[in-house]
Amino acid sequence: MSHTLYESKTPRVQRCELAVPGSRPEMFEKALKSGVDFIFLDLEDAVAPDDKLQARKNIIQAINDLDWKGHGVTLSVRINGLDTQYMVRDVVDLVEQAGHKINTLLIPKVGVYEDVYMVEAMLNQLEMQQGLKNRIGVEALIETALGMANVEDIARKGTAGRLEALHFGVADYAASNRARTTNIGGLNPDYPGDQWHAAISRMTVACRAFGLRPIDGPFGDIQDPEGFKLAAKRAAALGCEGKWAIHPSQVALANEVFTPPAAEIDKAKRILAAMKEAAAQGKGAAALDGKLIDAASERMANNIVKMAEAIAAKNK
């Protein structure tokens, strides 16, 4: 291993992240009880301009009134973009009025690291002002060509601050690249394979190199559960830890895909046991079920076991 290593910043179970528009307060309590790991209350794309200010008030009230932690929910808010008139008051009002119950802020359309730094600088000052004991994390949406061109730099510099995760925003990414599609996620029949593979893989590599969580974004067709599961499986295969849900019906699907099945956990534990026995015999490799296993197998198995343990601990 290299002598330059970046440890995971803030481990959280994030198999599914449910998006809930701030302009739809009647949806908040239903989302709270959906069994999802993460919820982001949205002030950005899901809220019409005329509803932005009321949505902010709705979200602040919901953060304070509902028992998010008691339902096992990690709570995030997607603020408006840095290029809008809403972003500054989003951050100030949220932290001043409800900062003690917010886990992370999700920054949309991050193009350069300085976008993240601006929000972090505001959080540093506001947390001191409010005397907050909890440290609010930051997550960044990679959903533009500029953001993907700078994704490694964003991830690397983010290790010094509050950045915890990168999310792949497929819809705006498609628009930014002028991709020939109007779908939110899913496969294009004119492309031989998965047209989002390279982008998700690049973002995931940047995350894993610098200790961040990679999260796949939305799948727009809520009437196609099988398509959602296939997209989630492709993201999981590339190393993503979870995927967005834009409807409560997608939560169970994401949880299923990003929870290691019992057979996979059992195999991982047998790999660890076999490698431990091999080490006791002075061997660096072993055979299990007729296949060679070695130190790399042990590292992969450890990932699965640790993930399963984290999910089990959360569900207690």
Side-chain angles (χ1 to χ4, degrees), residues 16-21 27 30-31 34 36 218-223 228 244-254:
C16 185
E17 182 149 357
L18 179 60
V20 185
M27 299 174 66
K30 183 178 180 181
S34 65
V36 74
F219 183 87
D221 189 351
I222 61 175
Q223 302 299 323
F228 178 93
W244 287 17
I246 60 170
H247 188 273
S249 65
Q250 294 178 332
V251 170
L253 303 175

Side-chain angles (χ1 to χ4, degrees), residues 168-246:
F168 179 60
V170 64
D172 277 298
Y173 186 74
S176 178
N177 282 281
R178 301 185 185 181
R180 295 282 295 274
T181 183
T182 55
N183 293 329
I184 299 176
L187 301 181
N188 188 325
D190 295 328
Y191 188 87
D194 181 356
Q195 71 272 31
W196 312 120
H197 174 105
I200 297 175
S201 181
R202 181 175 180 181
M203 185 195 77
T204 300
V205 169
C207 285
R208 295 308 185 191
F210 298 108
L212 307 177
R213 301 186 303 274
I215 306 298
D216 190 24
F219 183 87
D221 189 351
I222 61 175
Q223 302 299 323
D224 183 11
E226 188 59 30
F228 178 93
K229 284 183 66 174
L230 290 173
K233 287 179 178 180
R234 291 192 297 272
L238 292 173
C240 286
E241 292 192 16
K243 184 171 178 60
W244 287 17
I246 60 170

